[in-house]
Amino acid sequence: MAFDTRYLENQLLALLAIPSPSLHTAAIADHLADELTRLGLVTRRTARGDLLAEAPDGAARRAITTHMDTLGAMVVRLKDNGRLAVRPIGSWNARFADGARVKLHGEAGEVLATGTLLPTKASGHVHNEAIDRLPADWAHIELRLDLVDTAPAALREQGIEVGALVSVDSQPSVTDSGFINARHLDNKAAIACLLTAVRAVGLPPDVRLVFSCAEELGVGITGVMFQGIEEVLNLDIAAQGEGQIVCHHGVTIAMLDSLGPLHPVATRRLIALCREQQIPFTRDCFPYYYCDGDAAAKAGLDVRNALACFGADASHGWERVHRDSLVALSRLVMAWLPAP
């Protein structure tokens, strides 16, 4: 089947519409399982909730991993002023929480209320210059719910308790110039690239697809997910910024991350495929970066890790990617899948 840019974009928007903070990924796993089944693959899940997919005659020695979990938050206290104190799920700075529209979920995942994350001093008309002196940390962020009665007793009657999940709305916007702005492009954009590539060229029997549910917690991969696997292609976000050499219109091949160098054999294979297929790419190092494959390496699994990324701005915040970078990453996966 031919490469389909419209399918890529439609899948991305569908994924962005599904809340999936770390370990709360059942709904997005259901969506992916349905789509992978339509593509002719067999899926299974781990006890934790990770999703694995292979061809019906699969005997996997290689794997592609993309995490389906995102950042989020959790309620830690019902405050007397009617607001909720929250703490982050995953590593993201509180300054990126300010103004975020969110959903508050019940124990079964249902939406109990919508709301907005705000600083504890949220009005310049009330607090004047005190707003400028407010620390940008999670102790000074609170959740304002779109409910009339927000007294703690009333909230408890509606099932809103400590431990309630807070998912952050993606709020995607696609521009005429080809940019996609949204929260949670990390890593739903990579999933959309992977689905597009598999749809175009199929999945060889020696490749397993791994969709982890806890990468943002630093524990993305467990032994059962990589059983029999020798080489892993990690797909994730490349963060643009000062000192980085991210390719905003192509693929960024990671040479080193916070754990150290990626495996040279697996990495050279990606570089060779980019040159062979004339896919624009750059090489970069990410000293504050951690991917699924790192969790596998720290767990002592005997695998060769490579990391290929789409280039995006403002990672773990208001992220932005250009469509060309997603097309390039999809093309690289399409070349990697049938490669010996």
Side-chain angles (χ1 to χ4, degrees):
M1 187 176 295
F3 181 88
D4 189 342
T5 304
R6 181 175 298 178
Y7 174 86
L8 168 61
E9 190 170 306
N10 288 343
Q11 276 297 323
L12 175 54
L13 294 176
L15 293 165
L16 290 171
I18 304 172
S20 59
S22 296
L23 297 179
H24 297 79
T25 55
I28 195 170
D30 289 344
H31 170 87
L32 287 170
D34 289 344
E35 185 61 24
L36 293 165
T37 300
R38 278 192 287 270
L39 296 176
L41 306 183
V42 177
T43 66
R44 59 189 174 95
R45 304 193 197 194
T46 67
R48 188 176 66 174
D50 311 283
L51 179 67
L52 313 178
E54 295 185 36
D57 57 345
R61 295 177 59 196
R62 299 183 291 157
I64 301 180
T65 178
T66 61
H67 66 90
M68 56 186 172
D69 65 314
T70 69
L71 305 169
M74 184 165 283
V75 174
V76 297
R77 183 163 55 92
L78 278 59
K79 303 173 70 171
D80 291 337
N81 66 354
R83 307 290 174 95
L84 305 180
V86 297
R87 289 297 181 272
I89 294 174
S91 297
W92 57 302
N93 193 285
R95 60 171 47 90
F96 295 123
D98 184 358
R101 290 290 295 166
V102 303
K103 294 179 178 66
L104 184 70
H105 298 267
E107 293 179 358
E110 74 279 18
V111 177
L112 299 178
T114 59
T116 306
L117 293 174
L118 293 169
T120 51
K121 289 179 169 53
S123 173
H125 292 100
V126 175
H127 302 288
N128 200 10
E129 295 179 356
I131 289 180
D132 299 326
R133 298 189 295 271
L134 193 71
D137 59 28
W138 284 93
H140 294 86
I141 291 289
E142 58 189 10
L143 172 53
R144 180 189 68 193
L145 294 175
D146 300 327
L147 297 173
V148 175
D149 190 350
T150 57
L155 294 178
R156 291 189 179 96
E157 288 180 2
Q158 298 177 68
I160 298 172
E161 297 276 4
V162 168
L165 177 70
V166 179
S167 66
V168 180
D169 294 351
S170 294
Q171 297 179 258
S173 172
V174 183
T175 71
D176 293 338
S177 56
F179 286 106
I180 303 168
N181 296 267
R183 293 180 185 261
H184 313 317
L185 293 175
D186 176 10
N187 198 27
K188 294 179 178 182
I191 296 177
C193 292
L194 177 55
L195 292 175
T196 303
V198 171
R199 183 174 182 264
V201 301
L203 188 69
D206 71 327
V207 177
R208 178 182 303 148
L209 306 183
V210 176
F211 302 90
S212 60
C213 69
E215 191 270 354
E216 296 293 1
L217 304 180
V219 288
I221 296 299
T222 62
V224 67
M225 299 157 72
F226 279 179
Q227 187 174 4
I229 299 300
E230 300 173 17
E231 185 162 306
V232 181
L233 172 56
N234 298 268
L235 303 180
D236 216 319
I237 188 172
Q240 295 172 339
E242 184 178 356
Q244 300 302 139
I245 320 170
V246 169
C247 187
H248 74 273
H249 64 284
V251 177
T252 301
I253 307 296
M255 309 302 293
L256 174 145
D257 68 5
S258 63
L259 197 64
L262 280 300
H263 198 280
V265 172
T267 301
R268 284 197 298 267
R269 198 185 320 278
L270 297 182
I271 293 172
L273 287 171
C274 284
R275 289 172 174 161
E276 177 185 307
Q277 299 295 322
Q278 297 184 318
I279 299 170
F281 78 99
T282 59
R283 302 189 288 190
D284 208 349
C285 297
F286 301 108
Y288 309 113
Y289 196 106
Y290 194 87
C291 69
D292 271 333
D294 290 338
K298 291 188 74 171
L301 302 186
D302 183 20
V303 294
R304 299 185 298 270
N305 273 308
L307 173 58
C309 307
F310 62 91
D313 187 51
S315 60
H316 283 199
W318 287 103
E319 296 165 347
R320 188 187 74 170
V321 65
H322 196 277
R323 186 184 294 113
D324 289 351
S325 186
L326 301 183
V327 170
L329 184 59
S330 301
R331 289 179 57 208
L332 175 58
V333 176
M334 289 168 61
W336 186 91
L337 284 170

